[in-house]
């Protein structure tokens, strides 16, 4: 399967801990997106990379959140000092054209 | 502003009937309108999309129609089957940027 992969699929952490998620896009896709999805809602845009450049960040991405895509391939999303309100599904998507986005299975974060 | 409104939030149909889900968007610069299907525990899957220079697009049992003047677009599923049961999301990009705005979703139940 050459789709978008995300790791881990589930993460349980205590409030105040740092967590890091990884996304591996479809290999020829130079565009990569991170979203957050809470129960009963649609995905909310967090940030966008084109190659290694982070070109747009949502105001949802507070200073506790940081994303990187160092070599223009995989990306990481780190949340520092997690809060209970960070509990959500974190989705990654990639695209070749900038139109069609292909999503990974997501990482479900639970902050206790 | 940037907003995508989707309705209904829940839709229940008998197998074989048609289902229609509607979305309205606010950004007149939006030029691409995808629909995603999300099954439990999975990421959203792109099922059909339409660009702003086309009024209708069909792919087997699913179709999307776009009215740019009224700023709304709709998903039509004919001859529904139990495996169509899922949450469906519409989306529209914010014009001039890379952010995609998603609707809140429609939970479709197809009763056998």
């Amino acid at each position: 399967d050459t789709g978008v992969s995300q790791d881990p699929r589930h993460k349980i952490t205590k409030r105040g801990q740092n967590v890091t998620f990884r996304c591996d896009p479809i290999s020829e896709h130079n565009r990569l997106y991170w979203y957050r999805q809470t129960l009963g809602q649609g995905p909310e845009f967090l940030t966008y990379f084109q190659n290694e450049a982070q070109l747009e960040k949502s105001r949802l991405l507070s200073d506790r959140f940081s994303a990187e895509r160092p070599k223009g391939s995989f990306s990481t999303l780190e949340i520092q000092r997690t809060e209970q309100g960070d509990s959500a599904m974190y989705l990654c998507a990639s695209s070749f054209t900038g139109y069609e986005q292909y999503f990974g299975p997501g990482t479900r974060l639970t902050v206790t | 502003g940037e907003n995508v409104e989707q309705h209904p939030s829940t839709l229940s149909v008998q197998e074989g009937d048609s289902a229609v889900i509607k979305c309205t968007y606010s950004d007149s610069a939006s030029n691409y309108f995808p629909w995603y299907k999300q099954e439990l525990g999975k990421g959203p899957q792109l099922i059909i999309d339409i660009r702003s220079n086309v009024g209708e697009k069909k792919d087997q049992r699913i179709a999307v129609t776009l009215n740019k003047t009224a700023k709304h677009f709709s998903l039509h599923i004919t001859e529904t089957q139990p495996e169509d049961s899922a949450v469906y999301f519409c989306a529209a990009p914010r014009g001039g940027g890379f952010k995609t705005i998603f609707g809140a979703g429609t939970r479709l139940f197809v009763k056998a």
Side-chain angles (χ1 to χ4, degrees):
Chain A
D1 189 335
T2 57
V4 177
S5 61
Q6 292 188 245
D7 185 68
R9 295 291 308 277
H10 304 274
K11 178 71 177 178
I12 300 173
T13 192
K14 293 185 188 303
R15 188 176 52 191
Q17 297 295 304
N18 299 344
V19 294
T20 300
F21 310 140
R22 177 180 170 124
C23 170
D24 286 89
I26 294 170
S27 59
E28 63 267 27
H29 288 187
N30 63 342
R31 294 170 169 85
L32 188 146
Y33 309 76
W34 284 100
Y35 293 86
R36 182 173 69 186
Q37 185 177 29
T38 53
L39 203 61
Q41 297 299 314
E44 294 177 289
F45 172 85
L46 292 178
T47 191
Y48 165 76
F49 289 87
Q50 189 160 321
N51 299 310
E52 65 274 10
Q54 188 175 21
L55 297 184
E56 186 160 359
K57 289 179 7 176
S58 166
R59 61 180 180 275
L60 290 174
L61 217 65
S62 74
D63 56 4
R64 296 185 299 105
F65 287 70
S66 63
E68 295 183 341
R69 194 182 183 198
K71 296 181 180 178
S73 56
F74 73 91
S75 176
T76 58
L77 178 68
E78 181 183 17
I79 309 174
Q80 296 182 328
R81 306 181 302 281
T82 51
E83 301 172 356
Q84 287 189 320
D86 297 331
S87 294
M89 176 77 85
Y90 290 85
L91 293 162
C92 174
S94 70
S95 177
F96 180 69
T97 64
Y99 288 102
E100 302 88 355
Q101 295 183 32
Y102 297 90
F103 283 82
T107 294
R108 180 165 296 284
L109 173 66
T110 302
V111 181
T112 61
Chain B
E2 49 186 50
N3 195 30
V4 175
E5 294 187 359
Q6 181 173 348
H7 58 94
S9 57
T10 306
L11 180 59
S12 185
V13 300
Q14 282 294 137
E15 182 179 2
D17 287 351
S18 295
V20 180
I21 303 170
K22 299 181 179 181
C23 281
T24 59
Y25 61 97
S26 58
D27 190 338
S28 56
S30 294
N31 61 356
Y32 172 70
F33 306 94
W35 285 91
Y36 290 86
K37 175 183 181 182
Q38 188 172 28
E39 296 174 315
L40 198 61
K42 297 184 178 180
Q45 176 192 6
L46 179 67
I47 56 171
I48 196 166
D49 56 13
I50 193 168
R51 303 210 183 178
S52 59
N53 58 345
V54 176
E56 183 174 359
K57 182 176 177 182
K58 190 172 181 180
D59 182 4
Q60 299 183 351
R61 294 188 298 109
I62 59 173
V64 54
T65 58
L66 171 65
N67 183 328
K68 280 217 76 178
T69 303
K71 288 194 254 181
H72 67 70
F73 57 112
S74 300
L75 176 70
H76 305 254
I77 307 174
T78 59
E79 301 171 27
T80 53
Q81 301 169 3
E83 52 264 38
D84 294 330
S85 296
V87 181
Y88 291 82
F89 294 99
C90 63
R94 190 193 61 199
F98 308 101
K99 181 176 181 178
T100 298
I101 312 297
F102 282 76
T106 296
R107 184 170 294 279
L108 174 64
F109 296 96
V110 180
K111 296 178 286 187

mmCIF file of all heavy atoms in Angstrom, chain A residues 36-64:
data_model
loop_
_atom_site.group_PDB
_atom_site.id
_atom_site.type_symbol
_atom_site.label_atom_id
_atom_site.label_comp_id
_atom_site.label_asym_id
_atom_site.label_seq_id
_atom_site.Cartn_x
_atom_site.Cartn_y
_atom_site.Cartn_z
ATOM 1 N N ARG A 36 -6.669 18.826 12.337
ATOM 2 C CA ARG A 36 -7.147 18.285 13.608
ATOM 3 C C ARG A 36 -8.646 18.068 13.465
ATOM 4 O O ARG A 36 -9.358 18.918 12.915
ATOM 5 C CB ARG A 36 -6.871 19.265 14.749
ATOM 6 C CG ARG A 36 -7.303 18.765 16.109
ATOM 7 C CD ARG A 36 -6.854 19.700 17.206
ATOM 8 N NE ARG A 36 -7.553 20.967 17.179
ATOM 9 C CZ ARG A 36 -7.251 21.996 17.959
ATOM 10 N NH1 ARG A 36 -6.231 21.907 18.820
ATOM 11 N NH2 ARG A 36 -7.946 23.104 17.899
ATOM 12 N N GLN A 37 -9.115 16.918 13.972
ATOM 13 C CA GLN A 37 -10.534 16.612 13.891
ATOM 14 C C GLN A 37 -11.036 16.177 15.260
ATOM 15 O O GLN A 37 -10.512 15.236 15.856
ATOM 16 C CB GLN A 37 -10.794 15.497 12.866
ATOM 17 C CG GLN A 37 -12.268 15.216 12.638
ATOM 18 C CD GLN A 37 -12.508 14.163 11.582
ATOM 19 O OE1 GLN A 37 -11.684 13.273 11.370
ATOM 20 N NE2 GLN A 37 -13.645 14.255 10.891
ATOM 21 N N THR A 38 -12.036 16.877 15.766
ATOM 22 C CA THR A 38 -12.680 16.488 17.015
ATOM 23 C C THR A 38 -13.992 15.804 16.693
ATOM 24 O O THR A 38 -14.519 15.914 15.579
ATOM 25 C CB THR A 38 -12.901 17.703 17.921
ATOM 26 O OG1 THR A 38 -13.600 18.723 17.188
ATOM 27 C CG2 THR A 38 -11.584 18.265 18.421
ATOM 28 N N LEU A 39 -14.529 15.103 17.682
ATOM 29 C CA LEU A 39 -15.702 14.253 17.472
ATOM 30 C C LEU A 39 -16.881 15.037 16.915
ATOM 31 O O LEU A 39 -17.240 16.094 17.428
ATOM 32 C CB LEU A 39 -16.082 13.620 18.814
ATOM 33 C CG LEU A 39 -16.890 12.325 18.732
ATOM 34 C CD1 LEU A 39 -16.099 11.254 17.991
ATOM 35 C CD2 LEU A 39 -17.244 11.849 20.130
ATOM 36 N N GLY A 40 -17.420 14.563 15.824
ATOM 37 C CA GLY A 40 -18.596 15.193 15.255
ATOM 38 C C GLY A 40 -18.327 16.417 14.413
ATOM 39 O O GLY A 40 -19.258 17.118 14.014
ATOM 40 N N GLN A 41 -17.053 16.683 14.142
ATOM 41 C CA GLN A 41 -16.687 17.866 13.352
ATOM 42 C C GLN A 41 -15.878 17.474 12.132
ATOM 43 O O GLN A 41 -15.315 16.376 12.060
ATOM 44 C CB GLN A 41 -15.867 18.830 14.205
ATOM 45 C CG GLN A 41 -16.615 19.388 15.404
ATOM 46 C CD GLN A 41 -17.834 20.186 15.015
ATOM 47 O OE1 GLN A 41 -17.771 21.018 14.106
ATOM 48 N NE2 GLN A 41 -18.959 19.954 15.677
ATOM 49 N N GLY A 42 -15.805 18.390 11.188
ATOM 50 C CA GLY A 42 -14.936 18.183 10.054
ATOM 51 C C GLY A 42 -13.492 18.497 10.407
ATOM 52 O O GLY A 42 -13.218 19.131 11.434
ATOM 53 N N PRO A 43 -12.559 18.048 9.577
ATOM 54 C CA PRO A 43 -11.143 18.380 9.828
ATOM 55 C C PRO A 43 -10.923 19.892 9.821
ATOM 56 O O PRO A 43 -11.505 20.609 9.012
ATOM 57 C CB PRO A 43 -10.424 17.721 8.645
ATOM 58 C CG PRO A 43 -11.352 16.635 8.174
ATOM 59 C CD PRO A 43 -12.720 17.160 8.407
ATOM 60 N N GLU A 44 -10.085 20.353 10.754
ATOM 61 C CA GLU A 44 -9.698 21.772 10.814
ATOM 62 C C GLU A 44 -8.243 21.899 10.386
ATOM 63 O O GLU A 44 -7.366 21.234 10.933
ATOM 64 C CB GLU A 44 -9.835 22.298 12.235
ATOM 65 C CG GLU A 44 -11.249 22.351 12.773
ATOM 66 C CD GLU A 44 -11.244 22.826 14.214
ATOM 67 O OE1 GLU A 44 -10.808 22.057 15.101
ATOM 68 O OE2 GLU A 44 -11.656 23.971 14.458
ATOM 69 N N PHE A 45 -8.007 22.780 9.456
ATOM 70 C CA PHE A 45 -6.668 23.001 8.912
ATOM 71 C C PHE A 45 -5.720 23.498 10.003
ATOM 72 O O PHE A 45 -6.047 24.407 10.756
ATOM 73 C CB PHE A 45 -6.752 24.019 7.781
ATOM 74 C CG PHE A 45 -5.432 24.493 7.246
ATOM 75 C CD1 PHE A 45 -4.775 23.776 6.264
ATOM 76 C CD2 PHE A 45 -4.853 25.654 7.715
ATOM 77 C CE1 PHE A 45 -3.561 24.214 5.756
ATOM 78 C CE2 PHE A 45 -3.639 26.108 7.224
ATOM 79 C CZ PHE A 45 -2.998 25.383 6.234
ATOM 80 N N LEU A 46 -4.523 22.890 10.048
ATOM 81 C CA LEU A 46 -3.491 23.359 10.970
ATOM 82 C C LEU A 46 -2.332 24.017 10.227
ATOM 83 O O LEU A 46 -1.945 25.138 10.546
ATOM 84 C CB LEU A 46 -2.946 22.192 11.815
ATOM 85 C CG LEU A 46 -3.910 21.574 12.831
ATOM 86 C CD1 LEU A 46 -3.227 20.412 13.541
ATOM 87 C CD2 LEU A 46 -4.390 22.612 13.829
ATOM 88 N N THR A 47 -1.778 23.307 9.236
ATOM 89 C CA THR A 47 -0.621 23.854 8.553
ATOM 90 C C THR A 47 -0.406 23.161 7.217
ATOM 91 O O THR A 47 -0.939 22.080 6.972
ATOM 92 C CB THR A 47 0.637 23.744 9.430
ATOM 93 O OG1 THR A 47 1.696 24.518 8.855
ATOM 94 C CG2 THR A 47 1.106 22.288 9.584
ATOM 95 N N TYR A 48 0.393 23.821 6.359
ATOM 96 C CA TYR A 48 0.630 23.341 4.998
ATOM 97 C C TYR A 48 2.107 23.473 4.659
ATOM 98 O O TYR A 48 2.730 24.507 4.936
ATOM 99 C CB TYR A 48 -0.206 24.158 4.024
ATOM 100 C CG TYR A 48 0.206 24.026 2.575
ATOM 101 C CD1 TYR A 48 -0.111 22.890 1.844
ATOM 102 C CD2 TYR A 48 0.908 25.052 1.930
ATOM 103 C CE1 TYR A 48 0.253 22.770 0.514
ATOM 104 C CE2 TYR A 48 1.271 24.943 0.604
ATOM 105 C CZ TYR A 48 0.944 23.800 -0.112
ATOM 106 O OH TYR A 48 1.298 23.679 -1.426
ATOM 107 N N PHE A 49 2.660 22.421 4.049
ATOM 108 C CA PHE A 49 4.031 22.440 3.546
ATOM 109 C C PHE A 49 4.032 22.227 2.041
ATOM 110 O O PHE A 49 3.298 21.388 1.519
ATOM 111 C CB PHE A 49 4.858 21.304 4.168
ATOM 112 C CG PHE A 49 5.181 21.493 5.611
ATOM 113 C CD1 PHE A 49 4.302 21.073 6.595
ATOM 114 C CD2 PHE A 49 6.372 22.086 6.003
ATOM 115 C CE1 PHE A 49 4.599 21.241 7.944
ATOM 116 C CE2 PHE A 49 6.689 22.256 7.341
ATOM 117 C CZ PHE A 49 5.794 21.835 8.303
ATOM 118 N N GLN A 50 4.899 22.958 1.381
ATOM 119 C CA GLN A 50 5.214 22.652 -0.008
ATOM 120 C C GLN A 50 6.704 22.359 -0.025
ATOM 121 O O GLN A 50 7.528 23.226 0.262
ATOM 122 C CB GLN A 50 4.878 23.816 -0.931
ATOM 123 C CG GLN A 50 4.979 23.448 -2.400
ATOM 124 C CD GLN A 50 4.206 24.412 -3.289
ATOM 125 O OE1 GLN A 50 3.120 24.874 -2.952
ATOM 126 N NE2 GLN A 50 4.777 24.732 -4.425
ATOM 127 N N ASN A 51 7.022 21.121 -0.348
ATOM 128 C CA ASN A 51 8.384 20.619 -0.134
ATOM 129 C C ASN A 51 8.739 20.809 1.349
ATOM 130 O O ASN A 51 7.957 20.415 2.212
ATOM 131 C CB ASN A 51 9.354 21.285 -1.096
ATOM 132 C CG ASN A 51 8.991 20.999 -2.543
ATOM 133 O OD1 ASN A 51 8.783 19.844 -2.928
ATOM 134 N ND2 ASN A 51 8.881 22.040 -3.349
ATOM 135 N N GLU A 52 9.861 21.444 1.644
ATOM 136 C CA GLU A 52 10.216 21.601 3.057
ATOM 137 C C GLU A 52 9.737 22.916 3.650
ATOM 138 O O GLU A 52 9.879 23.163 4.850
ATOM 139 C CB GLU A 52 11.741 21.466 3.240
ATOM 140 C CG GLU A 52 12.559 22.546 2.569
ATOM 141 C CD GLU A 52 12.859 22.231 1.106
ATOM 142 O OE1 GLU A 52 12.277 21.275 0.571
ATOM 143 O OE2 GLU A 52 13.671 22.963 0.506
ATOM 144 N N ALA A 53 9.148 23.775 2.820
ATOM 145 C CA ALA A 53 8.739 25.098 3.289
ATOM 146 C C ALA A 53 7.336 25.057 3.896
ATOM 147 O O ALA A 53 6.388 24.584 3.265
ATOM 148 C CB ALA A 53 8.783 26.084 2.125
ATOM 149 N N GLN A 54 7.215 25.591 5.098
ATOM 150 C CA GLN A 54 5.918 25.720 5.749
ATOM 151 C C GLN A 54 5.304 27.035 5.294
ATOM 152 O O GLN A 54 5.724 28.111 5.725
ATOM 153 C CB GLN A 54 6.072 25.684 7.268
ATOM 154 C CG GLN A 54 4.758 25.621 8.024
ATOM 155 C CD GLN A 54 4.966 25.457 9.526
ATOM 156 O OE1 GLN A 54 6.030 25.760 10.058
ATOM 157 N NE2 GLN A 54 3.960 24.963 10.226
ATOM 158 N N LEU A 55 4.301 26.955 4.427
ATOM 159 C CA LEU A 55 3.783 28.155 3.771
ATOM 160 C C LEU A 55 2.566 28.754 4.446
ATOM 161 O O LEU A 55 2.227 29.914 4.174
ATOM 162 C CB LEU A 55 3.481 27.861 2.299
ATOM 163 C CG LEU A 55 4.672 27.468 1.436
ATOM 164 C CD1 LEU A 55 4.257 27.311 -0.017
ATOM 165 C CD2 LEU A 55 5.791 28.493 1.565
ATOM 166 N N GLU A 56 1.873 27.987 5.270
ATOM 167 C CA GLU A 56 0.703 28.555 5.935
ATOM 168 C C GLU A 56 0.469 27.831 7.253
ATOM 169 O O GLU A 56 0.633 26.619 7.347
ATOM 170 C CB GLU A 56 -0.544 28.454 5.049
ATOM 171 C CG GLU A 56 -1.751 29.173 5.643
ATOM 172 C CD GLU A 56 -2.827 29.498 4.620
ATOM 173 O OE1 GLU A 56 -2.640 29.189 3.432
ATOM 174 O OE2 GLU A 56 -3.852 30.073 5.035
ATOM 175 N N LYS A 57 0.122 28.613 8.263
ATOM 176 C CA LYS A 57 -0.202 28.077 9.582
ATOM 177 C C LYS A 57 -1.514 28.681 10.050
ATOM 178 O O LYS A 57 -1.711 29.893 9.937
ATOM 179 C CB LYS A 57 0.896 28.423 10.598
ATOM 180 C CG LYS A 57 2.169 27.670 10.393
ATOM 181 C CD LYS A 57 3.306 27.986 11.348
ATOM 182 C CE LYS A 57 3.066 28.859 12.491
ATOM 183 N NZ LYS A 57 4.241 28.984 13.377
ATOM 184 N N SER A 58 -2.376 27.861 10.610
ATOM 185 C CA SER A 58 -3.617 28.351 11.180
ATOM 186 C C SER A 58 -3.351 29.001 12.531
ATOM 187 O O SER A 58 -2.394 28.654 13.228
ATOM 188 C CB SER A 58 -4.588 27.191 11.358
ATOM 189 O OG SER A 58 -5.670 27.550 12.180
ATOM 190 N N ARG A 59 -4.222 29.923 12.895
ATOM 191 C CA ARG A 59 -4.102 30.500 14.243
ATOM 192 C C ARG A 59 -4.425 29.456 15.317
ATOM 193 O O ARG A 59 -4.147 29.664 16.489
ATOM 194 C CB ARG A 59 -4.998 31.714 14.405
ATOM 195 C CG ARG A 59 -6.472 31.447 14.224
ATOM 196 C CD ARG A 59 -7.268 32.725 14.399
ATOM 197 N NE ARG A 59 -8.692 32.492 14.240
ATOM 198 C CZ ARG A 59 -9.307 32.487 13.054
ATOM 199 N NH1 ARG A 59 -8.633 32.711 11.966
ATOM 200 N NH2 ARG A 59 -10.612 32.266 12.994
ATOM 201 N N LEU A 60 -4.986 28.302 14.883
ATOM 202 C CA LEU A 60 -5.200 27.194 15.822
ATOM 203 C C LEU A 60 -3.869 26.637 16.307
ATOM 204 O O LEU A 60 -3.780 26.026 17.372
ATOM 205 C CB LEU A 60 -5.983 26.062 15.151
ATOM 206 C CG LEU A 60 -7.457 26.282 14.821
ATOM 207 C CD1 LEU A 60 -7.984 25.101 14.035
ATOM 208 C CD2 LEU A 60 -8.266 26.500 16.082
ATOM 209 N N LEU A 61 -2.832 26.833 15.497
ATOM 210 C CA LEU A 61 -1.522 26.287 15.814
ATOM 211 C C LEU A 61 -0.825 27.236 16.787
ATOM 212 O O LEU A 61 -0.081 28.128 16.393
ATOM 213 C CB LEU A 61 -0.711 26.132 14.523
ATOM 214 C CG LEU A 61 0.204 24.912 14.414
ATOM 215 C CD1 LEU A 61 -0.602 23.643 14.391
ATOM 216 C CD2 LEU A 61 1.073 25.020 13.183
ATOM 217 N N SER A 62 -1.095 27.005 18.082
ATOM 218 C CA SER A 62 -0.513 27.883 19.095
ATOM 219 C C SER A 62 0.991 27.636 19.189
ATOM 220 O O SER A 62 1.541 26.752 18.532
ATOM 221 C CB SER A 62 -1.163 27.607 20.449
ATOM 222 O OG SER A 62 -0.680 26.386 20.980
ATOM 223 N N ASP A 63 1.645 28.406 20.061
ATOM 224 C CA ASP A 63 3.094 28.261 20.183
ATOM 225 C C ASP A 63 3.488 26.931 20.813
ATOM 226 O O ASP A 63 4.674 26.591 20.864
ATOM 227 C CB ASP A 63 3.695 29.442 20.948
ATOM 228 C CG ASP A 63 3.070 29.619 22.320
ATOM 229 O OD1 ASP A 63 2.229 28.782 22.705
ATOM 230 O OD2 ASP A 63 3.414 30.601 22.995
ATOM 231 N N ARG A 64 2.515 26.145 21.293
ATOM 232 C CA ARG A 64 2.855 24.815 21.804
ATOM 233 C C ARG A 64 2.971 23.785 20.678
ATOM 234 O O ARG A 64 3.428 22.678 20.891
ATOM 235 C CB ARG A 64 1.793 24.347 22.805
ATOM 236 C CG ARG A 64 1.698 25.190 24.065
ATOM 237 C CD ARG A 64 0.715 24.592 25.057
ATOM 238 N NE ARG A 64 -0.633 24.507 24.525
ATOM 239 C CZ ARG A 64 -1.219 23.375 24.121
ATOM 240 N NH1 ARG A 64 -0.571 22.212 24.205
ATOM 241 N NH2 ARG A 64 -2.456 23.393 23.661
#
